[in-house]
Amino acid sequence: MNRTSRLNCIIPPHLLKRLLESEDSEVRQAALDTMLTTARLRGERAVRASLAGPTATATGNGRRTVFDCDHGSFLASAALARSEDGPASADDSANRAFDGLGLTRDFYREVFQRDSIDDHGMRLDGYVHFSVKFNNAFWDGRQMVFGDGDGKMLGDLTRSLDVIAHELTHGVTEHTAGLAYHNQSGALNESISDVFGSLVKQWSLKQSAEEADWLIGADVWTPGIDADALRSMKAPGHAYDNALFGKDPQPDRMSKFVHLPDTEEGDSGGVHFNSGIPNKAFYLAAVGIGGFAWEGAGPVWYEALKASSAETQFQDFADTTFQKAGDLFGVGSVEQSAVLAAWQEVEIPIRGVPTGVARARSLAAAAGNGGVSRQDGLAALTRQVGELSAKMTRLAKEVAALKETG
Ligand SMILES: [Zn+2]
């Protein structure tokens, strides 16, 4: 896989395209400039990659350095704004980028004992005030670059911690499963970035799964724009619905899967569309388990990510999370039952689990969702299993007794 030729941008192409249709010429111009600059960077990276081969990753104990592009679009001419041990910058964007890189790095270190993005202390470089009215933020495999937004639609992209964590998680995925960025594996790649992007935000705010907003990019729009966020993991398809961008196109279950061509025009097979399905599964699993999502569903997804590969599909990933939940928390545990029920809800039933068991377990987990204690539902289920096994033991003894007398 070529790790150096792709840019991961937070604002999906279908939203930028809508901005090109705006009645405001300044908005149209900013959207066009953003798309042209991004295309130029993509081209440059592709050429560089084909000439030089993969770039070695810079190591450095996860040390952060933030540079100020001062509205230029050549990273090499950016000036140092803040370094790991240096004083705070006078520039808010530089400080926010610095903090966001640090919180993401610390989350991975403290929660998953992961040493920076590549697990080998990769240094974290950030560039702020990139280009003019640049409506995006991206990770290019080596550094994180932030635009200021056009100020009319999109604001300064350093303001969203989940955006920073989303982008850096693309790096984590590259260094683990390497999920190919197209079709289902690409939608999983996008979903993984939303999952851990949201978890970094929840972790920094010490929010439980119930308290979290489960929105991605809640702070990217300017205050005047009628939209909650870029995406909603809790309610895919409902992050926005307005005249400017239309309705959020994300599906929340397999029967609504969006079939798009594997082209740039088709969002590489709808990677920013269909990520809604695994996003919803994660949300359901996290809420089904309850408490802090980075302690329950988070580790399950992280282990499943590490066990995945480039062409992993939704079904494979779902099956792996079920298995990992069993490994981490025990077969038949609350956690594993919640994972099972979550995937069933988005119409990806786990393979190899008899439907009766799946139904019973999902009922038990649903009892937890509905306010009735999940523990009660599970306790009832466990009791039934206990009674059944006691019956079996009695029966076995009777058979043995019969044999002896016979
Ligand atoms: Zn992304």
Side-chain angles (χ1 to χ4, degrees):
M1 180 190 50
N2 192 337
R3 284 181 176 167
T4 56
S5 60
R6 202 166 54 77
L7 291 185
N8 289 104
C9 296
I10 191 67
I11 307 296
H14 65 89
L15 280 174
L16 281 176
K17 259 181 250 160
R18 293 300 293 244
L19 295 183
L20 282 180
E21 297 159 14
S22 167
E23 288 175 5
D24 185 329
S25 64
E26 282 182 45
V27 170
R28 285 200 306 273
Q29 191 60 49
L32 185 62
D33 288 346
T34 299
M35 291 170 94
L36 289 174
T37 304
T38 311
R40 175 176 67 78
L41 288 168
R42 273 209 179 95
E44 281 175 9
R45 294 202 65 77
V47 169
R48 211 180 306 151
S50 69
L51 291 175
T55 318
T57 326
T59 58
N61 297 319
R63 289 173 65 83
R64 293 164 289 176
T65 315
V66 176
F67 300 89
D68 185 349
C69 298
D70 194 21
H71 306 295
S73 55
F74 292 94
L75 302 184
S77 45
L80 177 69
R82 188 165 178 187
S83 59
E84 188 65 43
D85 307 313
S89 168
D91 183 284
D92 288 343
S93 303
N95 292 329
R96 279 192 300 259
F98 184 82
D99 292 343
L101 293 172
L103 282 166
T104 307
R105 176 198 62 190
D106 296 349
F107 165 83
Y108 276 107
R109 186 176 285 165
E110 287 178 30
V111 178
F112 299 125
Q113 294 76 52
R114 185 177 184 84
D115 185 10
S116 192
I117 299 313
D118 60 352
D119 203 16
H120 288 91
M122 183 183 200
R123 53 183 284 183
L124 301 171
D125 292 344
Y127 290 79
V128 297
H129 304 304
F130 175 76
S131 194
V132 180
K133 296 184 179 176
F134 189 70
N135 270 332
N136 230 328
F138 62 85
W139 165 258
D140 74 351
R142 280 193 297 176
Q143 53 242 332
M144 176 88 217
V145 179
F146 303 89
D148 292 337
D150 59 17
K152 289 200 167 183
M153 299 288 159
L154 290 145
D156 185 329
L157 275 304
T158 60
R159 288 188 311 188
S160 300
L161 174 58
D162 52 353
V163 163
I164 298 175
H166 172 107
E167 290 303 323
L168 291 182
T169 299
H170 278 307
V172 172
T173 298
E174 276 177 25
H175 288 278
T176 49
L179 290 163
Y181 204 71
H182 67 156
N183 303 330
Q184 283 197 18
S185 55
L188 264 179
N189 190 320
E190 267 305 313
S191 174
I192 292 291
S193 275
D194 281 351
V195 162
F196 293 100
S198 183
L199 285 186
V200 170
K201 187 168 82 173
Q202 293 175 31
W203 177 77
S204 78
L205 297 170
K206 300 291 170 270
Q207 286 178 330
S208 68
E210 292 77 13
E211 290 163 343
D213 64 11
W214 296 97
L215 295 172
I216 301 298
D219 308 305
V220 304
W221 306 111
T222 54
I225 301 298
D226 175 27
D228 290 338
L230 290 173
R231 289 181 287 281
S232 167
M233 299 179 71
K234 182 180 185 170
H238 298 276
Y240 53 86
D241 185 2
N242 61 39
L244 285 168
F245 334 112
K247 190 182 180 314
D248 174 3
Q250 282 212 308
D252 65 354
R253 56 191 59 238
M254 277 312 269
S255 53
K256 296 186 193 165
F257 189 91
V258 180
H259 294 275
L260 287 170
D262 181 12
T263 59
E264 213 173 314
E265 189 76 358
D267 188 30
S268 306
V271 296
H272 291 96
F273 292 72
N274 295 314
S275 56
I277 298 167
N279 275 359
K280 179 75 184 272
F282 183 81
Y283 160 77
L284 289 169
V287 170
I289 294 167
F292 293 132
W294 63 88
E295 293 177 350
V300 171
W301 255 245
Y302 183 65
E303 289 304 318
L305 174 67
K306 290 198 292 180
S308 296
S309 55
E311 291 300 333
T312 293
Q313 307 292 294
F314 285 4
Q315 181 72 60
D316 308 322
F317 190 78
D319 293 346
T320 307
T321 59
F322 179 71
Q323 186 209 320
K324 293 296 176 188
D327 294 348
L328 288 171
F329 298 104
V331 173
S333 59
V334 169
E335 289 82 359
Q336 195 187 33
S337 304
V339 168
L340 180 71
W343 287 109
Q344 182 142 307
E345 177 85 22
V346 302
E347 299 168 352
I348 305 177
I350 301 300
R351 281 182 297 207
V353 178
T355 29
V357 174
R359 203 180 307 121
R361 290 225 207 141
S362 84
L363 279 174
N369 271 336
V372 186
S373 164
R374 174 182 64 237
Q375 303 295 350
D376 288 355
L378 272 176
L381 191 67
T382 313
R383 219 164 30 240
Q384 285 168 29
V385 173
E387 280 165 11
L388 195 65
S389 94
K391 266 184 205 165
M392 293 300 291
T393 313
R394 270 201 307 276
L395 204 63
K397 274 186 190 155
E398 283 171 24
V399 171
L402 279 173
K403 267 189 188 163
E404 271 175 30
T405 53

